[in-house]
Structure formats: structure tokens, C-alpha cells
Amino acid sequence: MGKRVYNFSAGPAMLPLEVLEASAKALVDYQGKGYGIAEISHRSKDFDAVMDETKSRARSLMGIPDGYDIVFSQGGASQLFITIPWNFLQGSADYVVTGEWAKKAAEAAKPYGTVNVLASSESTGFDRIPTGWKPSANASYFHICTNNTIYGTRWSTMPEHPVLFADMSSEFMARVVDVKKFALIYGGAQKNLGPSGVCMSIVRKDLYAKINKSVPKLFNYQVLAEQDSRINTPPTFGIYMLLETYRWIEKQGGIKAIEARNEEKAKLIYDAIDRAPDFYKGTVSDIPNRSRMNITFRLPNEALTDKFIKEAEKQGMTALKGYRTVGGIRASTYNAMPVEGCVALAKHMDEFHAANRT
Ligand SMILES: Cc1ncc(COP(=O)(O)O)c(C=O)c1O
């Protein structure tokens, strides 16, 4: 195998080498049985065991109480932007728009009822988490995106609401969350948990009573949960990779230890920005709500930005280009990014600043 680079991709993103190796082994020969994990029925005993262990490890890692189900689905978080209001929106729902994905989620809900956008930070380039909003009295639920992958903000304190729905795609299992404070948590796997093609939802069971009758079985959260995410063939290999990731998170000391490491990693890069404030400009003005997963900043001009990226690549650091509508640099430092990767990036930032400042 060639040398692994520090891959700062926003997603699909870097995964732990141990997870990749264990999954690759299982793909070729599952536990020495002469077949790979992707070659067996999703209703086989082997896969039943994979499903059970994946869910029980997720439960213990995140402290998911009995009153919640875990559902795996395909179609990406974007499909859940539709499935969720289809299931649970009756009348109206509240959304706070903190970035592109939160905005897409709010748009996708419109065919199902009234969407109240309580607040949006779009007019300031999504550089903050808006404040001063008030939930509506009769909304079916209140929806947030906890970490804004493109703009580099996060809800450092989660809002309180009896029916709180959260897209956690870009910080799933990257920080400790109190699941009891949420009615629904969901996200795509392809940043912190595994490959693209599989989503995980954590659903409070009392929501089932209200599911709209028009939802077909394949998209109905209650049926999905009752049939153990296997109404039809689920993304079996993707689910297997989640299991390997959960084993790995446990070996790291659990989510609390992962979160501490994520804090340390993000601080290395934010400190490098702060050491050269005339050269590197963070795109987020709301400092307490800066993301620990996606660190966004700009250099003085495009030419320097390109040079920064090219020189980083030569040193084994890839995928640092900011999102197309934002520009600049985005360093995504998900769970699998080692501390050394952030040390290397911070060093590159210092050296690049020293060599290129005017
Ligand atoms: C926070 C967030 N939500 C939703 C999505 C959309 O995910 P998908 O491409 O799986 O539909 C993304 C993709 O990057 C994201 O970052």
C-alpha cells in the first residue's frame, strides 16, 4: 500500500485505516467462511448478527434510550429532507436556516405543509448561528442542522424543543449529544461513520402515532423500524462498515474521547489562523459556534489560495479547497483525521505565511 495522505475532504471523507482494513478483509472473506459480507443475504443469520451488533454498539456509544429506534436507509440525507416532512409534518414545521443544507431541508419540506423559517443567517453569508428566534406554538417539529459543513459553523449549544429534529450528517458521533433532547437525529454516513450510500436515523417512538397516512411503506419510519431497516435490501456493506467504525470508536475510548481529540485538532488550525490574522481570515464571525469538523478560512487572494493548496498537496495534504460557492480553504477534520494531520496543516500554514506575507 502506498503512503496514506492527510485527506481533508468534506465527504465522502477519510476513514480510519483499521476500519478500511477490517472491512476489506470481510469483503473478501467473512470470518473465514469462504464468502464475503457483501455476498450474503440481508436476511441471513450472519447479517442478522451484523445488524444486531451495529445497533447495540450505536446504542451504547451514543447512549440511545429504549424509547428510540435506529433506522438505516439509502438515498442520502437529501432524501431524508423529503422523507421526514412527508412522515411528520402536519400543518407546519419550524426550520432555522444556518447554511446550504439547512436551506435545502426547509425547501424540501414545502410540499408537505407550511414551513416557518424562524431565522436565517443567509444575509451575512451564513457566518453565524442566528439568535433571537422563537419557536411557533403549533409546529409539528423544530428542525436544525447541527454542523454546517459548507460554512463551518455549528450549534455549540443545542436548542431546547420538545420535538427537536436534527441533521447531524457532518458531526455524527463526533461530539457527545444527549439523545433524549431530540425527537429525531439523522445523517448520511459518509463523513464520520462510513461510506456513502447509508444513512442512520435515531427516532423517538412516540412520533409514529402521527405519521401521515400517505407515506408508502418503504419510506414509513415506523415500518422501517419494525422491519429492522429491511423492508427491502439495505446497503449491507455500508452497514457492515458502520459496525467496524463503531468498534473503532469504542477502542478510541468512546465519543467523549473522540470529542476531546476533535477539540484539540480544531484548535491547532484555529490557532494557526489566529497567529496570522492579517493573512488568514476565518469565514465565521460567530467564534463560539465555530465548527470542530469543517474549518473554513480565506487567504488574501485566489493566487495565494491556489499556491497554498498546491504546496499542501506536495506535503501529503489533500482536498483543502473550499466549497465552490464559498471559495478559500476548508479543512474537514472528522473523527478519522489524526492529530498529526492537523499538526502538519498548522505547520504548513505558519510556513506559508512566513514565506508569502507582504
Ligand atoms: C449537513 C449535511 N446535510 C446533508 C447533506 C446531504 O447529504 P447527501 O449528499 O448524502 O444527500 C450534506 C452533504 O454534504 C451535509 O453536509
Side-chain angles (χ1 to χ4, degrees), residues 10-11 75-81 101-102 104 145-150 167-171 186-191 196-199 294 323 330 334:
S78 302
Q79 184 171 294
L80 295 178
F81 291 167
W101 299 113
K104 284 199 164 79
C145 177
T146 65
N147 182 81
N148 298 286
T149 324
I150 296 174
D167 172 5
M168 274 190 204
S169 293
S170 49
E171 60 172 14
Y186 69 97
Q190 65 267 25
K191 296 157 201 304
S196 59
V198 53
C199 287
N294 312 98
Y323 192 75
R330 172 174 54 174
Y334 299 124

Side-chain angles (χ1 to χ4, degrees), residues 170-211:
S170 49
E171 60 172 14
F172 230 137
M173 295 201 190
R175 67 192 275 201
V176 174
V177 296
D178 185 355
V179 174
K180 293 190 299 301
K181 299 269 171 81
F182 297 83
L184 173 63
I185 294 171
Y186 69 97
Q190 65 267 25
K191 296 157 201 304
N192 275 305
L193 304 185
S196 59
V198 53
C199 287
M200 177 169 155
S201 300
I202 303 165
V203 202
R204 204 171 66 199
K205 293 181 192 176
D206 67 292
L207 294 177
Y208 299 152
K210 296 188 195 143
I211 292 177

